[in-house]
Amino acid sequence: MKNLAIFASGSGSNAERIVEYFQNSATVNIKLFLTNNPEAGVIERAKRLEISIRVFDRQEFKSETIVDLLKENEIDWVILAGFLWLIPKNLVAAFPNKIVNIHPALLPKFGGKGMYGHFVHEAVIANKETESGITIHLVNEHYDEGAIIFQASFPVSSEDTPEDVARKGQVLEHEHFPRIIEQLITVK
Ligand code: GAR
């Protein structure tokens, strides 16, 4: 059995999808949610799903506290599902090639610091892109730069709003993220 920890800063719809997907899995166990945001919607979801959730601050994140917590919980893989802080070096080093992020655009386009959530979709519209998509990638010490594992795209029309782009992206995220996590974990 592989234990997963899911980090989320916002609503947590991807985190919930992942929990649903692995509900009856014999190989993957969602052990813990973590958030940096005491107001995050993912906290309510964790309660409803009966998954324990740890809220932490920046100082704890930069110290050994979170790495220690993950080790105590025997976490094998770390999943970033809408988590907005840069992952510190010690956490990357503790889970080499075992941290996976989802990004709501076709990296390397529309990535980097400050490029998250609605900022990404607004930039896609402002740039008059004709397609956007999602990227699932391994995490290193830089925002959105680790090896790309999977991408899926969808068309963007000239009438689309950033909200339309967000909606299309979310459908793809919910469809693919749990499946790609499963593939990654079961081949390693
Ligand atoms: C997702 O669209 C995810 O791709 C994005 O945040 C959203 C979280 O939604 N992540 C980033 O922008 C990371 N740079 P959720 O809380 O409903 O899962």
Side-chain angles (χ1 to χ4, degrees):
M1 184 67 95
K2 298 291 181 194
N3 289 323
L4 269 59
I6 303 181
F7 285 67
S9 301
S11 151
S13 74
N14 279 283
E16 178 159 357
R17 257 308 279 133
I18 294 164
V19 170
E20 277 169 12
Y21 185 89
F22 290 112
Q23 219 156 27
N24 300 311
S25 170
T27 48
V28 175
N29 173 38
I30 312 302
K31 185 104 191 254
L32 182 65
F33 281 4
L34 299 100
T35 186
N36 60 308
N37 177 4
E39 312 282 314
V42 71
I43 296 173
E44 268 315 302
R45 291 190 201 258
K47 285 185 189 144
R48 181 160 43 77
L49 297 166
E50 300 181 343
I51 305 266
S52 56
I53 180 153
R54 171 70 148 82
V55 183
F56 58 86
D57 62 25
R58 210 173 271 279
Q59 207 176 342
E60 287 177 308
F61 197 43
K62 286 189 167 173
S63 69
E64 291 300 316
T65 308
I66 298 303
V67 172
D68 289 348
L69 180 74
L70 296 174
K71 296 283 179 196
E72 279 159 27
N73 279 277
E74 299 181 328
I75 298 300
D76 299 292
W77 287 81
V78 172
I79 309 299
L80 309 182
F83 182 67
L84 303 184
W85 285 357
L86 187 66
I87 302 302
K89 281 191 177 135
N90 62 330
L91 183 44
V92 174
F95 291 89
N97 294 325
K98 293 273 171 56
I99 308 179
V100 187
N101 183 43
I102 191 155
H103 186 79
L106 294 171
L107 290 175
K109 281 185 167 182
F110 306 108
K113 191 169 164 51
M115 267 296 168
Y116 61 86
H118 66 99
F119 293 110
V120 174
H121 309 307
E122 283 158 14
V124 164
I125 294 297
N127 236 38
K128 301 197 185 335
E129 296 290 319
T130 55
E131 64 165 9
S132 190
I134 63 167
T135 302
I136 298 169
H137 66 95
L138 295 177
V139 171
N140 62 21
E141 293 133 29
H142 308 285
Y143 276 112
D144 304 324
E145 284 185 14
I148 292 174
I149 297 161
F150 175 85
Q151 292 186 307
S153 61
F154 55 82
V156 177
S157 85
S158 54
E159 276 107 65
D160 278 347
T161 63
E163 291 72 29
D164 295 325
V165 176
R167 248 188 316 272
K168 292 184 201 177
Q170 192 184 57
V171 171
L172 289 186
E173 291 188 342
H174 290 182
E175 180 184 346
H176 295 292
F177 200 18
R179 190 177 68 73
I180 298 297
I181 291 169
E182 183 175 44
Q183 275 179 14
L184 255 180
I185 290 176
T186 47
V187 296
K188 287 246 167 174

